[in-house]
Amino acid sequence: MRTIGDWTRLGAARHPAREAFVGVDGRVTYGEAAQRAWALARGLKEAGVAKGDTVGVLGGNTVFNAEVFLGVAISGGIYTAYNWRWAAEELADGIRESQTSIVIVEDRFLPLLNDALQILATHPDTIAMPRVIEQGEVEHLRIGEGVYVDDVDPDDALCLIYTGGSTGTSKACLLSHGAATANAINEYLDVGIGAHPEERGLLVTPLFHSAGLLTWLVTHFVAGKTTVLVDKFSEEDFVEWVGRERGTNSFMIPNMMRRLLQAGAFATPEVQRHFKALHTGAGLLRMPNKIEFIETMPQARLYFRYGLSEAGPMVTRLLHEDMLDPSVDGSIGQEYTLVESKLLSLDGDGREAEPGELGEICVAGPSIMTGYYGRPEATAATIVDGWLRTGDLATRDERGYYYFKDRLKEMIKSGGENVYCVEIEQVLYLHPAVLEAAVVGVENEEWGEEVRAVVSLREGQHADAAQLAAHVRNHLAGYKVPKQFAFLDAAELPRSGAGKLVKGRLKQQLGWG
């Protein structure tokens, strides 16, 4: 396996004049990015960053942030990606957990950082106050010219990525250089990211998320292709970036894809001319959305994947060739080439689940995390005998296609029956009026928990609770039909930094918690 330093050196030698990063703050070639990263690595060493030290970074989808990632990685430091959508108290917790002595911050996020530091200052016994390096100071850190010879190995730590926190407190996943390389190889081999000669990948998910940093930026960097960093996602911005920068592919969550479809963004001349592949995951994608995309973009390929930060992040993928196959509709696909996966029976006897039997997805391979930073007990409970226990429930058929059912922590117990939120959500997405759906369990004295649903409708479409309940009943047993529906605009739905719905906050928002 290679390190990020290796890929930086090889990129500069193989295609020095090709653009590596393009963003709102400029563009740099592979040759320029390497020189700037080597100079920053020297400066970070001079500033006291030792191998294995965390370096906190608060930045957006910018060339600046991409360059900082390279510099920190080459220095031997651990790039610690803070979520700029956090509240000040959450950021303070992140800094405290990572125990960083240096935080590099873009100017626009300085007020958030200052608020977090004020919180930390009230508890000086928990952490030494970190040194703050503002955006304008980074240029002054760069020292010297030419190749910087690092002492980093593939097994050394590369980055800390915080989990989404959708089922509890965020934890920091520690991932190595080798893990990032393995994930990039998986993406190149299995779904062709970086394989197109003229590829220019649009990065629309945040760099503090594993999909943005590892699946998109690192994979394109390893493949020697251009990453176009889109700092703000909107339907109009997507079309503009694709047209101006000749964007060929992108990864986004299904809700973003549905927004673009509804707005007609994929039908515009710019997108039709340049765009060749859409990769989506971290949500649900059903046949109506697949058909709509493929009919709108017959020249493009569509991929769906399942993963989690702990896995580095990707585990399974559903290929373009499978998209319109009704026998695998709702599937999250088969495992990647370098991933080994299995379903562990819920009986507690340690056996693998039989085809069609519900089990917990377990993952092994070179891309999984080293562990949770500073949490040895949580790591030991999650990585058992080399297998990452994901806490995700699924079935698998005889061909190795997985079907995600639910998070173990989100499964609803109603009247003695197990009810899987995802199963009901998948059915709701089959209704033509539904743009987004979330199913939750709410305490009920008689049944233990009752099933409720929150729905966002497509613009210009109508459906009421009775119609949606009848729709679900046509597909599922009566006890799975939501007892209550709430209707919210998509903008009102609480989301994590990665754009996922946060069901705990949603229940609080509706007074269901």
Side-chain angles (χ1 to χ4, degrees):
M1 290 295 179
R2 300 279 189 175
T3 67
I4 294 301
D6 292 331
W7 295 118
T8 302
R9 174 177 50 82
L10 290 169
R14 291 170 176 171
H15 23 252
R18 183 181 299 164
E19 288 182 333
F21 307 125
V22 175
V24 291
D25 53 339
R27 54 188 73 224
V28 293
T29 65
Y30 273 85
E32 292 166 341
Q35 291 292 341
R36 292 171 63 77
W38 291 328
L40 179 56
R42 292 189 188 93
L44 290 170
K45 283 289 190 182
E46 187 75 16
V49 174
K51 186 177 179 180
D53 286 351
T54 55
V55 178
V57 181
L58 197 56
N61 283 13
T62 57
V63 173
F64 170 81
N65 197 357
E67 289 185 333
V68 168
F69 167 69
L70 296 183
V72 172
I74 294 169
S75 76
I78 305 173
Y79 174 88
T80 302
Y82 296 137
N83 183 339
W84 46 262
R85 290 174 175 157
W86 279 340
E89 189 168 339
E90 292 172 302
L91 178 57
D93 287 340
I95 295 171
R96 186 184 295 111
E97 174 142 345
S98 60
Q99 294 292 305
T100 187
S101 59
I102 289 178
V103 178
I104 299 174
V105 58
E106 287 186 8
D107 293 340
R108 55 183 163 161
F109 302 124
L110 193 55
L112 171 61
L113 177 60
N114 287 334
D115 289 344
L117 294 178
Q118 287 183 7
I119 293 171
L120 289 173
T122 63
H123 302 282
D125 55 318
T126 61
I127 182 176
M129 294 298 287
R131 173 186 172 186
V132 175
I133 299 177
E134 298 183 23
Q135 186 169 357
E137 298 177 85
V138 171
E139 286 303 314
H140 303 302
L141 273 184
R142 302 185 198 275
I143 299 173
E145 297 180 355
V147 178
Y148 174 78
V149 180
D150 61 54
D151 62 346
V152 179
D153 297 317
D155 289 338
D156 288 334
L158 167 66
C159 61
L160 290 185
I161 298 290
Y162 284 83
T163 61
S166 57
T167 59
T169 305
S170 293
K171 297 184 286 291
C173 302
L174 183 65
L175 293 143
S176 69
H177 288 251
T181 296
N183 185 76
I185 292 171
N186 270 330
E187 297 289 15
Y188 184 90
L189 289 176
D190 285 35
V191 295
I193 295 179
H196 191 278
E198 302 302 321
E199 188 161 322
R200 293 172 69 84
L202 261 70
L203 175 53
V204 300
T205 54
L207 275 175
F208 58 71
H209 187 242
S210 56
L213 180 66
L214 301 174
T215 292
W216 215 249
L217 187 138
V218 170
T219 299
H220 281 91
F221 191 73
V222 167
K225 300 301 190 295
T226 303
T227 299
V228 179
L229 296 125
V230 179
D231 197 45
K232 179 173 68 73
F233 176 82
S234 71
E235 294 85 341
E236 296 80 7
D237 287 330
F238 178 82
V239 173
E240 181 182 346
W241 279 102
V242 170
R244 186 175 67 241
E245 296 297 338
R246 307 182 310 283
T248 60
N249 59 354
S250 190
F251 172 84
M252 61 186 65
I253 63 175
N255 182 53
M256 297 165 82
M257 170 186 169
R258 285 188 283 268
R259 283 175 54 187
L260 292 172
L261 284 168
Q262 181 168 293
F266 290 121
T268 59
E270 302 95 321
V271 178
Q272 291 279 319
R273 184 180 308 117
H274 299 295
F275 206 70
K276 305 301 180 187
L278 179 66
H279 302 257
T280 185
L284 298 176
L285 187 68
R286 293 305 303 269
M287 191 64 77
N289 296 140
K290 299 175 191 177
I291 292 172
E292 186 178 2
F293 177 83
I294 290 171
E295 288 181 346
T296 305
M297 297 282 293
Q299 79 283 11
R301 298 177 69 81
L302 179 63
Y303 299 92
F304 184 82
R305 70 272 298 286
Y306 155 79
L308 61 163
S309 296
E310 289 90 337
M314 292 306 161
V315 178
T316 66
R317 74 290 183 278
L318 191 69
L319 301 178
H320 179 75
E321 293 75 14
D322 294 324
M323 282 296 159
L324 300 185
D325 181 351
S327 70
V328 294
D329 187 32
S331 172
I332 57 175
Q334 300 165 302
E335 65 188 18
Y336 278 83
T337 299
L338 298 183
V339 170
E340 185 177 1
S341 60
K342 66 180 180 181
L343 284 181
L344 191 64
S345 167
L346 301 182
D347 293 341
D349 54 8
R351 67 176 177 86
E352 288 193 43
E354 300 293 331
E357 180 186 358
L358 189 71
E360 180 184 2
I361 302 174
C362 298
V363 184
S367 61
I368 71 169
M369 70 173 182
T370 305
Y372 294 118
Y373 188 78
R375 298 194 184 195
E377 293 181 359
T379 299
T382 303
I383 302 177
V384 181
D385 296 327
W387 287 90
L388 173 71
R389 301 194 59 164
T390 66
D392 289 335
L393 301 177
T395 59
R396 183 173 55 184
D397 65 20
E398 294 83 355
R399 296 182 296 166
Y401 285 87
Y402 283 85
Y403 297 81
F404 183 86
K405 297 301 181 183
D406 218 335
R407 291 286 298 163
L408 190 59
K409 294 180 180 178
E410 292 181 353
M411 183 176 66
I412 301 169
K413 292 275 193 178
S414 182
E417 299 282 358
N418 292 338
V419 179
Y420 305 106
C421 300
V422 170
E423 181 182 29
I424 304 168
E425 291 164 358
Q426 287 178 330
V427 169
L428 286 169
Y429 277 115
L430 294 175
H431 194 286
V434 173
L435 176 66
E436 196 153 9
V439 173
V440 298
V442 178
E443 286 188 18
N444 179 288
E445 288 187 8
E446 181 178 0
W447 302 106
E449 287 183 290
E450 69 174 46
V451 182
R452 297 186 186 181
V454 182
V455 172
S456 175
L457 298 177
R458 293 177 178 273
E459 186 176 348
Q461 297 283 336
H462 172 76
D464 59 24
Q467 291 169 324
L468 292 179
H471 169 75
V472 174
R473 186 65 185 92
N474 284 337
H475 293 268
L476 300 174
Y479 67 87
K480 298 179 182 179
V481 177
K483 301 293 188 291
Q484 184 173 332
F485 286 85
F487 294 87
L488 296 175
D489 291 336
E492 297 178 280
L493 299 174
R495 302 184 186 279
S496 70
K500 297 180 185 179
L501 277 172
V502 182
K503 292 185 177 180
R505 284 165 48 194
L506 183 60
K507 289 165 68 172
Q508 290 179 347
Q509 181 175 323
L510 293 168
W512 292 354

